[in-house]
Amino acid sequence: MSPLAKLKKAEMATLSNAAHQVTDIYGTFLSPESLKGSAELQMKVNLGAEVLQMLNSLVASEGIDMSMDWLNDLKISSMANINDSAGQLKLDLGLEDENLIGVDIIADTKSEKLYVGVPALTEKYLCIPLNADALNSGSDFLEDDYYSGYTPAPDFSAIAEILTDPEFRKAMPSEDTLNKLIDKYLELCFDNLTDVTQAKETIEVNGIKQDLTVIKVNVSEAMVMNIGEKVLTEAKNDKNIQAIINNLSAYLVSKGVMSEGENAYENFIEGINSALEDLAEAKGMADTATVMTYSCYIDSKNNVQGRAIDASGERYFYQATAKNGDNFATTIEIADKIKLEGSGTENKGVKNATYSFSINDYTDFSKVKNTDYPIMEDLYALAEEE
């Protein structure tokens, strides 16, 4: 397998999957009844010695006799649940094993109301309507004993009406159509890469080593312009894109948002033709010298384990993950100024890891735990007690 074919296979699997996760969210918008999920995050603050020393010195300079070491005992946790018509977010701030304060937020799209509670202060919940008419008139919620005031909201009723209109969802492209378009144009970009090489390399991240294949692409102005020309030319003749534009414009005309005399697809084609003309003129002066090198690190199973971007002899971005059984270590570095490093274990998709984040050597440590959390059965319980 050629270096380009190997790169294309690995990156298409990774990038396509990432893009499909985004379109999956889009798909829930088209079919909100399918929306369901949950997540939990726990973090423990553990400041580095340099940061604590700086904070303690700053406090002392203000004449305050207090150590800031207690910051290392802070714990932050969040839990989110969501389904087709309601969502809940719980945030808690604790010190050592004691919970200091928490906020519980429930959004109910059926009743178009938001419930906000602070359990440590009161069992009652603040009820805030989400529709613009109620916010501006105050008629729906000024009777609520728990509300003390409001700020008039802009009138988004026209936008809200479109977004909640079943006909609008029908006019939108399907999730499958978007996925096919994304894959098509990603593949087109990879097919037009040139100057691709590969070599063997052993990476080491936080003491964990892994043998990988590194594939490098030397990027020039001429290559970028050629890819841009190929993409624009294909888009100009793409029947799926034409159908999407025509369907959406027909819907907007039916709602009076666009006039019948407007032709969105013709405007789209004119824009592409103009861009192609500019590219044709610029290509004659395009430099073929390398302006950037993109590196992709791939394991024996064709999984992408890292990426790097180098230009003018400097490394602007580096991300890599090394694995050994259930153990892993990862690093993300941006221009040698910002760095995120971590190591831990992964079992059945659940990661437990300790991460270190630094900017110009000032370090902050956090412990992050990702776990599965069941959908709460009483998601609507507070709303029903309104």
Side-chain angles (χ1 to χ4, degrees):
M1 185 182 296
S2 69
L4 177 56
K6 188 176 183 67
L7 174 69
K8 177 182 173 181
K9 182 178 180 181
E11 285 285 34
M12 279 294 295
T14 303
L15 297 177
S16 177
N17 180 63
H20 290 188
Q21 289 181 21
V22 175
T23 56
D24 185 57
I25 298 173
Y26 166 80
T28 62
F29 165 73
L30 296 182
S31 304
E33 65 276 1
S34 66
L35 183 58
K36 199 176 201 181
S38 62
E40 183 180 8
L41 175 66
Q42 297 176 352
M43 293 189 296
K44 181 181 182 300
V45 177
N46 187 358
L47 299 177
E50 301 94 340
V51 177
L52 281 176
Q53 183 179 2
M54 180 183 67
L55 291 174
N56 284 327
S57 298
L58 182 62
V59 170
S61 68
E62 296 295 326
I64 302 173
D65 185 16
M66 180 179 69
S67 171
M68 301 302 290
D69 292 359
W70 59 271
L71 288 171
N72 274 341
D73 295 320
L74 279 179
K75 296 179 181 178
I76 303 169
S77 64
S78 68
M79 185 271 292
N81 288 300
I82 192 168
N83 62 24
D84 60 332
S85 55
Q88 181 183 35
L89 175 64
K90 298 183 73 172
L91 298 171
D92 291 292
L93 177 65
L95 189 63
E96 293 184 334
D97 295 327
E98 184 126 0
N99 187 44
L100 296 178
I101 195 167
V103 178
D104 192 11
I105 302 171
I106 294 178
D108 186 349
T109 57
K110 283 184 177 179
S111 64
E112 294 186 308
K113 291 182 179 180
L114 183 72
Y115 300 87
V116 181
V118 182
L121 301 180
T122 175
E123 295 180 355
K124 297 180 179 180
Y125 277 66
L126 173 68
C127 176
I128 305 173
L130 299 175
N131 60 77
D133 290 340
L135 283 172
N136 286 326
S137 67
S139 60
D140 279 4
F141 65 92
L142 287 180
E143 299 174 356
D144 196 314
D145 294 335
Y146 318 139
Y147 189 75
S148 58
Y150 77 101
T151 301
D155 185 5
F156 294 114
S157 57
I159 298 175
E161 182 180 350
I162 289 175
L163 293 178
T164 56
D165 186 359
E167 293 302 316
F168 175 68
R169 292 192 176 101
K170 290 180 182 178
M172 295 287 285
S174 68
E175 180 183 346
D176 183 61
T177 297
L178 280 188
N179 285 337
K180 288 179 179 178
L181 284 173
I182 290 169
D183 291 347
K184 174 182 178 179
Y185 287 96
L186 276 176
E187 191 167 353
L188 183 60
C189 290
F190 281 110
D191 285 342
N192 286 280
L193 294 177
T194 55
D195 197 359
V196 183
T197 59
Q198 78 174 40
K200 297 293 184 180
E201 186 172 322
T202 300
I203 65 168
E204 181 173 357
V205 184
N206 288 353
I208 297 181
K209 296 181 179 180
Q210 188 172 1
D211 296 328
L212 301 172
T213 297
V214 57
I215 299 179
K216 296 186 176 184
V217 181
N218 293 318
V219 182
S220 65
E221 289 182 359
M223 182 196 298
V224 173
M225 289 184 182
N226 181 60
I227 291 174
E229 184 180 48
K230 298 287 186 184
V231 169
L232 289 172
T233 301
E234 184 61 31
K236 180 180 176 180
N237 301 302
D238 196 315
K239 298 300 181 183
N240 282 324
I241 291 179
Q242 181 180 7
I244 291 170
I245 294 174
N246 286 339
N247 288 340
L248 285 174
S249 60
Y251 171 81
L252 294 175
V253 167
S254 72
K255 295 297 179 180
V257 179
M258 286 179 57
S259 66
E260 291 188 15
E262 291 185 70
N263 191 316
Y265 185 68
E266 284 186 5
N267 293 337
F268 171 75
I269 294 299
E270 287 177 7
I272 285 186
N273 286 335
S274 177
L276 286 172
E277 289 175 7
D278 292 340
L279 272 176
E281 183 178 345
K283 279 182 69 176
M285 300 178 288
D287 197 340
T288 57
T290 298
V291 295
M292 180 188 81
T293 298
Y294 171 75
S295 303
C296 181
Y297 297 84
I298 303 172
D299 67 12
S300 58
K301 296 181 179 179
N302 219 51
N303 299 312
V304 175
Q305 294 296 109
R307 298 178 176 88
I309 296 176
D310 300 275
S312 303
E314 294 184 26
R315 174 149 288 183
Y316 287 89
F317 176 80
Y318 177 65
Q319 173 268 320
T321 297
K323 295 182 178 181
N324 183 7
D326 292 338
N327 299 310
F328 75 92
T330 188
T331 183
I332 300 175
E333 302 171 21
I334 302 176
D336 289 330
K337 301 292 183 182
I338 301 174
K339 183 182 291 186
L340 175 68
E341 294 181 307
S343 59
T345 60
E346 180 176 5
N347 185 19
K348 297 180 180 179
V350 177
K351 292 182 179 180
N352 285 279
T354 299
Y355 290 91
S356 139
F357 177 72
S358 64
I359 301 177
N360 291 335
D361 296 328
Y362 286 101
T363 308
D364 164 42
F365 295 92
S366 299
K367 185 174 182 180
V368 179
K369 181 180 180 182
N370 299 321
T371 61
D372 292 327
Y373 200 93
I375 296 294
M376 293 182 66
E377 297 295 332
D378 58 347
L379 189 58
Y380 286 103
L382 292 172
E384 291 172 353
E385 293 172 6
E386 177 198 352

